[in-house]
Amino acid sequence: EAQVTQNPRYLITVTGKKLTVTCSQNMNHEYMSWYRQDPGLGLRQIYYSMNVEVTDKGDVPEGYKVSRKEKRNFPLILESPSPNQTSLYFCASSPQRGLRDTQYFGPGTRLTVL
Amino acid sequence: AQRVTQPEKLLSVFKGAPVELKCNYSYSGSPELFWYVQYSRQRLQLLLRHISRESIKGFTADLNKGETSFHLKKPFAQEEDSAMYYCAKGPVGPGANSKLTFGKGITLSVRP
């Protein structure tokens, strides 16, 4: 089944403890992206990647890192999480030039930073 | 800065009533515009895109460049339409960056 998967789905952690949220897609999509969803703020783009080894900042990149070593994977790294990063995170992928095509979203990862 | 504005946070209607979810965008050439929907406990999914000029689940959206709007409409709401709806704007022109900008979303509640 063509899909975007994220792990873990739920995570509770403490301030300062490094964590990684994985994202994987099996559709050979070039474009991948991370968003966070917060009440009243909607969806905001964190980072995106046009292809392997090509990443760029979205609207809210502070406190996050990403990497794109393989086409299918696009992990989101929080080196030193803080409570203001408590949020619902979505990964998405899209065929080519991402934004002129449908984005396929993962199921979301609910992160709580204490 | 590119902006997508959804002026209302919540719209509550009775089943069978018409629905209009508003979306305005900041002008920047010929935009790529989308509506995404998130049903309860499901992942976000594309509802429709303006370039396709299609009707999905009875919903339509017309791009009005004069008003820079892309409102989502349905003549007769159904209970299963209850969900969160996001308007989104893609890049403009071949040299534009690849940021996708979402509005803040609106919750549609359709009562029986």
Side-chain angles (χ1 to χ4, degrees):
Chain A
E1 182 190 351
Q3 61 180 341
V4 178
T5 57
Q6 296 178 226
N7 280 293
R9 296 288 311 281
Y10 303 90
L11 180 60
I12 300 175
T13 189
V14 295
T15 298
K17 186 176 181 183
K18 181 179 177 179
L19 66 91
T20 299
V21 183
T22 64
C23 172
S24 184
Q25 50 91 6
N26 61 2
M27 297 171 279
N28 201 36
H29 286 170
E30 292 185 1
Y31 182 93
M32 297 186 75
S33 182
W34 275 103
Y35 299 88
R36 58 178 290 175
Q37 185 182 37
D38 301 290
L41 296 176
L43 276 164
R44 293 178 293 169
Q45 194 173 38
I46 303 171
Y47 268 95
Y48 62 92
S49 169
M50 297 287 287
N51 212 325
V52 176
E53 301 292 2
V54 180
T55 63
D56 207 348
K57 296 178 181 178
D59 291 318
V60 287
E62 295 78 19
Y64 304 94
K65 283 174 56 176
V66 292
S67 70
R68 187 89 182 273
K69 293 185 171 58
E70 310 164 272
K71 201 170 188 178
R72 64 183 292 127
N73 296 323
F74 190 46
L76 180 69
I77 302 154
L78 284 72
E79 295 270 4
S80 183
S82 61
N84 64 12
Q85 293 178 298
T86 293
S87 186
L88 180 58
Y89 291 87
F90 289 100
C91 179
S93 73
S94 190
Q96 219 181 30
R97 206 43 225 281
L99 307 174
R100 289 182 169 80
D101 290 293
T102 302
Q103 291 216 41
Y104 295 85
F105 283 83
T109 295
R110 188 167 292 282
L111 172 66
T112 301
V113 183
L114 302 174
Chain B
Q2 311 252 346
R3 284 197 179 86
V4 176
T5 303
Q6 294 181 252
E8 299 153 333
K9 290 184 180 179
L10 171 68
L11 179 64
S12 184
V13 301
F14 285 106
K15 177 182 172 182
V19 167
E20 182 179 66
L21 306 182
K22 292 184 168 55
C23 174
N24 290 89
Y25 61 92
S26 58
Y27 174 78
S28 184
S30 299
E32 301 277 350
L33 290 161
F34 308 84
W35 277 98
Y36 281 83
V37 60
Q38 188 176 26
Y39 300 103
S40 179
R41 300 185 189 281
Q42 293 187 29
R43 63 185 73 192
L44 212 67
Q45 58 186 288
L46 179 72
L47 180 62
L48 56 81
R49 38 195 297 228
H50 92 274
I51 200 168
S52 302
R53 295 186 158 273
E54 56 201 345
S55 173
I56 304 292
K57 299 185 180 182
F59 284 98
T60 58
D62 291 321
L63 177 61
N64 186 323
K65 290 186 179 179
E67 296 181 358
T68 59
S69 69
F70 188 55
H71 303 327
L72 184 68
K73 299 178 184 178
K74 185 169 183 176
F76 308 104
Q78 303 298 314
E79 289 179 67
E80 55 265 30
D81 296 328
S82 295
M84 186 83 163
Y85 291 80
Y86 288 97
C87 182
K89 177 171 176 282
V92 179
N97 65 40
S98 294
K99 286 185 186 179
L100 183 63
T101 302
F102 281 84
K104 293 185 178 181
I106 180 170
T107 300
L108 174 63
S109 173
V110 182
R111 292 169 286 170

